[in-house]
Amino acid sequence: MNFTKTTEQDSKYNHLEKMSINELLININTEDKTVPKAVEKVIPNIEKLVQEIVVKLKTGGRLFYIGAGTSGRLGVVDASECPPTFGVSYDLVIGLIAGGETAIRKAVEFAEDSTTQGWKDLQKYQISNKDVVIGIAASGTTPYVIAALKKCNENNISTGCITCNAESPLALTAKFPVVAIVGPEFVTGSSRMKAGTAQKLILNMISTATMIQLGKIKGNKMVDMQLSNDKLVDRGVKMVMGELGINERLAKELLLKYGNVRNAINNYPLEKNKPSLFSAFKHLAIALPLLFIAPIVITIGFKALKKDGNFMLLIIGLLLGIIAIMITAFGLIKVSRSLFDKDSHDKN
Amino acid sequence: MNFTKTTEQDSKYNHLEKMSINELLININTEDKTVPKAVEKVIPNIEKLVQEIVVKLKTGGRLFYIGAGTSGRLGVVDASECPPTFGVSYDLVIGLIAGGETAIRKAVEFAEDSTTQGWKDLQKYQISNKDVVIGIAASGTTPYVIAALKKCNENNISTGCITCNAESPLALTAKFPVVAIVGPEFVTGSSRMKAGTAQKLILNMISTATMIQLGKIKGNKMVDMQLSNDKLVDRGVKMVMGELGINERLAKELLLKYGNVRNAINNYPLEKNKPSLFSAFKHLAIALPLLFIAPIVITIGFKALKKDGNFMLLIIGLLLGIIAIMITAFGLIKVSRSLFDKDSHDKN
């Protein structure tokens, strides 16, 4: 390989074993500050990749991350965050790591050197050209990842990558490459540091921007998040309170009833107007028998008028009819007000 | 709880669903740039925590990370990187996550709300006051983590924390708190973003600085890293070549023979001098029989001189003795030169 592996270049620092803890921390932090700036430079490339992902996901596709070691783990972490954060299925964003599940905790010897396993791992998910596959590798040379992406290209499956070495085999393989040049690491070659941070930032940007484009955020709120622990329930309650301007007790009741913030907010008009809807239906319930009885009384009233000139029944019938119509109209107005009244719940 | 949860405060941004992908990415990146600066402010606290960890690990203790959700995952990732990077055992830095192994990929419902499970999980590792336990929680309110740290305090086990909310219950519980105030997230409450990045940066700082203090880095090189894939073998070969100024073939031979960069470098003097050592021992092998034979010949020579005045044998014996002493001295000089000669291998 004739490209420059900046991730493997000698650290700008030396004699680390002689530095004080304070010096070590300051120097690491100095390097870390450069990472978001390196990511900033590749926003146009991230944009192209996200555009592709959004198109694919809108037409039923899935997003795969595939990597080895730290890169694989960061993909797994980002994928695992999508369901709780955005309420999507665990089948939508999938993180694969060379060596399988055990590799999340322990390095699996030479797992990343396989040129066949990556594609096999993808095939277990019936990968198709509806999907997008993002290869992650700081060095850009991981055989497991590159070989998998080549197979994807052959099979007309969209490919992207996140790497930290320009002109690396991975960058040249992916159709939508994202190459964040973070430069030499504080500890020479320790790409879990700056390169890993860049990968995490880019993964977060990809999944967050994609999910927002798919409508999973309302305003700036995670309205589809899972309520899988007390903190998230509390957060959801606060969102519902803020959105609808209601008290905590009612917000919590709504949230637990409808399972997520979006449904709680969408069902609030119905919930809020339940009492008035109920009274409207009570009106209709009274009006209905009256509407049924009135014509009968009027008919009998006409007959009585003809027969012996008694007009009392006719008047009673007409009055019943008028009352029934009035109650019905009043009820219908109440129902329509309840259903179509828009007040504070749409402020964002 | 009466403290301000800045991690849960309203995002500075709104109407995210109306932003273009480019706007989303630029805004996320703008927020990300603030993270290393927030971490910089807490370097003195990270320093105190690392000091404590180094003391504990030097006296046989271990480092535990304990967290839930994203925080737990980031601890698992950092812990998993220590053995390949620094060649330490998988028992030295241990990442625990609420809900156990399945929680690495899937949110386990209400796992983080348990106030007893964290301590139980730590006890499975026979936790003792030789160890250090770092609680990780962006919010600083995770019951699983706080309860575990309280139990540690009761049992005189050193505790630290990584959180993003000042005055949070977790920050008040840990003896060595690290509180990086990253402020509101781009997506309100989505603490996997800035808070998660701060946690990753701080975890990397803690483990890297600790391992350097424990002598796992030489110069700026990962001399103890595992050679668990081809990329790492290549990296190791380059380190050995650079350190010893030798060619690639020899460096690879040394590395594969001794298993890691440190041992390859330390054993190089022996390896390099093997041919000259061998020739020195050949000298000694010749001298030894001569040294044994010479006194016998001299004794017989003296007897012959006394008996019939023949001094030839005595002269031969003396010559053999002188030759033997010379060969021995020459051999010993060669051996000592081979073993104690310091040339280029100690330049860092």
Side-chain angles (χ1 to χ4, degrees):
Chain A
M1 282 160 259
N2 284 323
F3 71 98
T4 313
K5 265 196 192 180
T6 53
T7 55
E8 295 283 327
Q9 279 178 340
D10 237 36
S11 169
K12 285 194 278 177
Y13 306 82
N14 206 342
H15 307 296
L16 309 188
E17 65 272 48
K18 289 169 191 157
M19 288 182 188
S20 69
I21 296 172
N22 187 263
E23 284 174 292
L24 290 170
L25 299 176
I26 287 172
N27 290 333
I28 296 173
N29 181 251
T30 301
E31 291 301 309
D32 286 343
K33 281 181 189 159
T34 67
V35 178
K37 291 170 192 163
V39 172
E40 183 180 21
K41 289 185 185 143
V42 292
I43 286 178
N45 299 84
I46 305 174
E47 189 185 351
K48 281 175 200 147
L49 178 54
V50 172
Q51 273 166 351
E52 178 72 5
I53 298 167
V54 170
V55 167
K56 290 291 179 180
L57 264 55
K58 275 187 176 167
T59 51
R62 296 161 297 172
L63 172 59
F64 288 84
Y65 298 138
I66 184 164
T70 296
S71 303
R73 288 180 197 111
L74 292 172
V76 168
V77 169
D78 194 80
S80 74
E81 290 166 345
C82 289
T85 309
F86 304 107
V88 297
S89 149
Y90 278 97
D91 306 325
L92 190 67
V93 185
I94 296 157
L96 299 180
I97 179 166
E101 294 306 291
T102 48
I104 294 175
R105 279 199 182 264
K106 293 201 181 187
V108 174
E109 299 259 314
F110 297 95
E112 72 169 69
D113 297 327
S114 167
T115 54
T116 54
Q117 194 58 46
W119 178 242
K120 278 184 199 158
D121 288 349
L122 284 169
Q123 280 180 305
K124 284 175 202 155
Y125 291 84
Q126 284 84 41
I127 187 96
S128 83
N129 60 10
K130 293 165 79 181
D131 305 317
V132 185
V133 178
I134 299 181
I136 315 171
S139 65
T141 59
T142 314
Y144 171 87
V145 177
I146 296 164
L149 259 66
K150 280 185 179 160
K151 272 284 185 186
C152 288
N153 287 341
E154 284 170 23
N155 288 275
N156 205 25
I157 297 163
S158 291
T159 53
C161 77
I162 304 172
T163 180
C164 298
N165 282 324
E167 306 298 315
S168 62
L170 181 59
L172 299 175
T173 303
K175 283 191 189 145
F176 299 94
V178 175
V179 185
I181 307 292
V182 294
E185 297 284 354
F186 176 67
V187 173
T188 301
S190 184
S191 54
R192 76 189 195 108
M193 303 184 80
K194 288 195 294 176
T197 301
Q199 291 170 325
K200 183 201 178 285
L201 294 178
I202 293 166
L203 283 164
N204 285 174
M205 287 166 98
I206 290 172
S207 53
T208 305
T210 298
M211 293 298 161
I212 292 171
Q213 290 279 311
L214 293 178
K216 302 296 177 188
I217 296 292
K218 189 173 153 67
N220 54 35
K221 304 285 198 299
M222 300 182 281
V223 288
D224 289 321
M225 68 173 186
Q226 288 178 353
L227 305 174
S228 53
N229 63 56
D230 290 346
K231 180 187 75 187
L232 298 179
V233 173
D234 281 352
R235 185 188 290 162
V237 167
K238 288 202 180 72
M239 281 188 215
V240 174
M241 287 168 68
E243 193 76 5
L244 300 177
I246 59 177
N247 67 36
E248 190 175 338
R249 191 194 52 75
L250 183 56
K252 187 159 187 175
E253 199 181 295
L254 269 171
L255 189 63
L256 296 179
K257 182 167 179 184
Y258 289 100
N260 68 39
V261 174
R262 183 188 298 274
N263 290 340
I265 291 170
N266 286 346
N267 282 295
Y268 179 61
L270 186 70
E271 285 291 326
K272 189 186 71 174
N273 295 309
K274 258 192 184 164
S276 66
L277 267 180
F278 186 67
S279 108
F281 279 109
K282 268 201 299 193
H283 281 100
L284 292 178
I286 296 162
L288 214 66
L290 287 184
L291 278 171
F292 183 75
I293 291 163
I296 297 170
V297 176
I298 289 167
T299 308
I300 296 169
F302 264 116
K303 278 186 183 164
L305 185 63
K306 266 203 225 166
K307 198 175 158 194
D308 46 20
N310 188 346
F311 53 88
M312 275 305 289
L313 266 178
L314 185 62
I315 288 168
I316 290 169
L318 287 169
L319 279 173
L320 281 176
I322 291 163
I323 291 166
I325 289 165
M326 281 175 67
I327 296 175
T328 305
F330 192 63
L332 286 176
I333 290 165
K334 266 203 165 176
V335 171
S336 72
R337 269 199 192 144
S338 299
L339 291 179
F340 305 111
D341 189 20
K342 291 199 179 233
D343 36 316
S344 66
H345 67 267
D346 216 342
K347 62 180 181 184
N348 272 328
Chain B
M1 284 162 263
N2 285 323
F3 71 99
T4 312
K5 266 196 191 183
T6 52
T7 55
E8 295 283 327
Q9 279 177 340
D10 237 36
S11 168
K12 285 194 277 177
Y13 307 82
N14 207 342
H15 308 297
L16 309 188
E17 65 273 46
K18 288 168 192 157
M19 288 182 188
S20 69
I21 295 173
N22 188 262
E23 284 174 291
L24 290 171
L25 299 176
I26 287 172
N27 290 332
I28 296 173
N29 181 251
T30 301
E31 290 301 309
D32 287 343
K33 281 181 189 158
T34 66
V35 177
K37 291 171 192 162
V39 172
E40 183 180 22
K41 290 187 184 139
V42 292
I43 285 179
N45 299 84
I46 305 174
E47 189 185 350
K48 281 177 200 146
L49 177 54
V50 172
Q51 274 166 352
E52 178 73 6
I53 297 167
V54 171
V55 167
K56 290 291 178 179
L57 264 55
K58 277 188 176 167
T59 51
R62 297 162 298 173
L63 172 59
F64 287 84
Y65 298 137
I66 185 165
T70 296
S71 303
R73 288 181 197 112
L74 292 172
V76 168
V77 169
D78 193 80
S80 75
E81 290 166 346
C82 289
T85 308
F86 304 107
V88 296
S89 149
Y90 278 96
D91 306 326
L92 190 67
V93 184
I94 296 157
L96 299 180
I97 180 165
E101 294 308 290
T102 50
I104 295 176
R105 278 198 182 265
K106 292 199 181 189
V108 174
E109 298 258 313
F110 296 96
E112 70 168 70
D113 297 327
S114 166
T115 54
T116 53
Q117 193 59 45
W119 178 242
K120 278 184 200 160
D121 288 349
L122 285 169
Q123 280 180 304
K124 284 175 201 155
Y125 291 84
Q126 285 82 43
I127 187 100
S128 83
N129 60 10
K130 292 165 79 181
D131 304 317
V132 185
V133 177
I134 299 181
I136 315 171
S139 66
T141 58
T142 315
Y144 171 86
V145 177
I146 297 164
L149 259 66
K150 280 185 179 158
K151 272 284 186 185
C152 289
N153 287 341
E154 284 170 24
N155 288 274
N156 204 25
I157 298 163
S158 290
T159 53
C161 77
I162 304 172
T163 179
C164 298
N165 282 324
E167 307 298 316
S168 62
L170 180 59
L172 298 176
T173 302
K175 281 190 190 148
F176 298 95
V178 175
V179 186
I181 307 292
V182 294
E185 298 284 355
F186 176 66
V187 173
T188 301
S190 184
S191 52
R192 76 190 194 105
M193 303 184 79
K194 288 196 294 176
T197 301
Q199 290 171 324
K200 183 202 178 286
L201 293 178
I202 293 167
L203 284 164
N204 285 174
M205 288 167 98
I206 289 172
S207 53
T208 305
T210 298
M211 293 298 161
I212 292 171
Q213 290 279 312
L214 293 178
K216 303 297 175 188
I217 296 293
K218 189 172 153 67
N220 55 36
K221 305 283 197 300
M222 299 182 281
V223 289
D224 290 321
M225 67 173 186
Q226 289 177 354
L227 305 174
S228 54
N229 63 56
D230 290 345
K231 180 186 75 188
L232 298 179
V233 172
D234 281 352
R235 184 188 291 161
V237 167
K238 287 202 181 72
M239 279 188 216
V240 173
M241 287 167 68
E243 192 76 6
L244 300 178
I246 58 176
N247 67 37
E248 190 175 337
R249 191 195 52 75
L250 182 57
K252 190 161 185 174
E253 200 181 294
L254 269 172
L255 190 63
L256 296 180
K257 182 168 179 183
Y258 289 101
N260 69 38
V261 174
R262 182 190 297 275
N263 290 339
I265 291 170
N266 286 345
N267 283 294
Y268 179 61
L270 186 70
E271 285 290 326
K272 190 185 70 174
N273 296 311
K274 258 191 182 163
S276 65
L277 266 179
F278 185 67
S279 106
F281 279 110
K282 267 200 299 193
H283 282 100
L284 292 177
I286 297 164
L288 214 66
L290 287 182
L291 279 171
F292 184 74
I293 291 164
I296 297 169
V297 176
I298 289 166
T299 308
I300 297 168
F302 266 116
K303 278 184 183 163
L305 186 65
K306 267 201 226 160
K307 200 173 161 197
D308 46 24
N310 188 344
F311 55 87
M312 275 305 287
L313 267 179
L314 184 61
I315 288 169
I316 290 168
L318 287 169
L319 279 172
L320 280 176
I322 290 163
I323 291 166
I325 288 165
M326 280 175 67
I327 296 175
T328 306
F330 191 63
L332 286 175
I333 289 165
K334 267 204 162 177
V335 171
S336 72
R337 270 201 191 143
S338 299
L339 291 177
F340 304 112
D341 189 22
K342 291 200 178 233
D343 36 314
S344 66
H345 67 266
D346 217 341
K347 62 181 185 183
N348 270 329

